[in-house]
Amino acid sequence: MQKSFVSKNPNIKGKVVVGVCTLDRKTQTKPMQQIIKSMSAFGEFEMITFGNDTIFNKKVEDWPICDVLISFFTSGFPSQKAEEYCSLRKPFMLNDVPFQKNLLSRERVYTILRENNIPAPQHIIFRDPSEYPDSEQELVESEDYIEIHYQKK
């Protein structure tokens, strides 16, 4: 006899509760609507969208309880609150919420690729002196190349 799934959410029996924690503008896109519709069609998943009101106006303790979390960073998204929710509720994360902030830094992405022996296109990193006052990089721009700290690309 197959054992039924017990959700963390006490209001939903026998289904895996999947929380979609994204801003409304992301949740309402055709691709995201198709994902939600496809997953719902299986009958094994209860899809819950958190939405702007929940994300911005409620404490993470009051967010819906889910077993699995889908969360995408977009500009204006309070990723710190999503991280707090994950620490509190410990859902299975389809995409690692705390790790997503690494994607905001091209330099960090290239470092991660290098650390994992993943080929990356030839690149060079320039640290803007207005953001990195201690940086001693020199930038030379030409029609055919740029040179940063004596490296041409």
Side-chain angles (χ1 to χ4, degrees):
M1 184 171 164
Q2 187 177 4
K3 191 175 181 181
S4 64
F5 178 79
V6 178
S7 175
K8 292 178 184 178
N9 188 321
N11 301 320
I12 299 171
K13 305 286 185 222
K15 291 187 177 189
V16 177
V17 179
V18 179
V20 180
C21 181
T22 60
L23 298 183
D24 289 343
R25 68 176 184 259
K26 190 96 163 169
T27 305
Q28 294 166 358
T29 64
K30 285 184 181 183
M32 184 58 75
Q33 286 297 306
Q34 185 59 48
I35 290 169
I36 292 169
K37 182 180 176 183
S38 296
M39 289 185 72
S40 297
F42 282 102
E44 297 173 3
F45 303 105
E46 180 72 31
M47 305 299 293
I48 298 176
T49 56
F50 289 20
N52 288 4
D53 183 51
T54 297
I55 293 170
F56 289 113
N57 301 324
K58 295 183 180 177
K59 296 185 283 187
V60 295
E61 295 83 3
D62 298 329
W63 288 11
I65 297 172
C66 65
D67 305 301
V68 177
L69 185 71
I70 300 172
S71 180
F72 298 104
F73 176 85
T74 53
S75 61
F77 180 78
S79 57
Q80 184 62 38
K81 283 183 84 172
E83 288 181 39
E84 290 172 26
Y85 176 83
C86 290
S87 293
L88 175 68
R89 300 291 183 203
K90 300 188 181 354
F92 177 83
M93 293 179 277
L94 285 185
N95 46 348
D96 189 329
V97 172
F99 187 80
Q100 287 185 47
K101 68 180 112 198
N102 288 308
L103 301 176
L104 301 177
S105 165
R106 185 169 298 183
E107 184 174 7
R108 184 70 187 124
V109 168
Y110 283 127
T111 299
I112 292 167
L113 293 173
R114 186 177 59 254
E115 289 171 350
N116 290 282
N117 298 315
I118 299 170
Q122 185 180 24
H123 62 280
I124 191 165
I125 304 290
F126 175 71
R127 292 186 179 105
D128 187 336
S130 66
E131 293 181 39
Y132 298 90
D134 296 336
S135 177
E136 295 181 11
Q137 294 180 325
E138 291 183 36
L139 173 66
V140 177
E141 293 183 77
S142 166
E143 191 172 305
D144 300 326
Y145 65 90
I146 62 168
E147 182 178 316
I148 298 175
H149 206 63
Y150 312 110
Q151 284 186 292
K152 283 186 181 179
K153 298 291 179 184

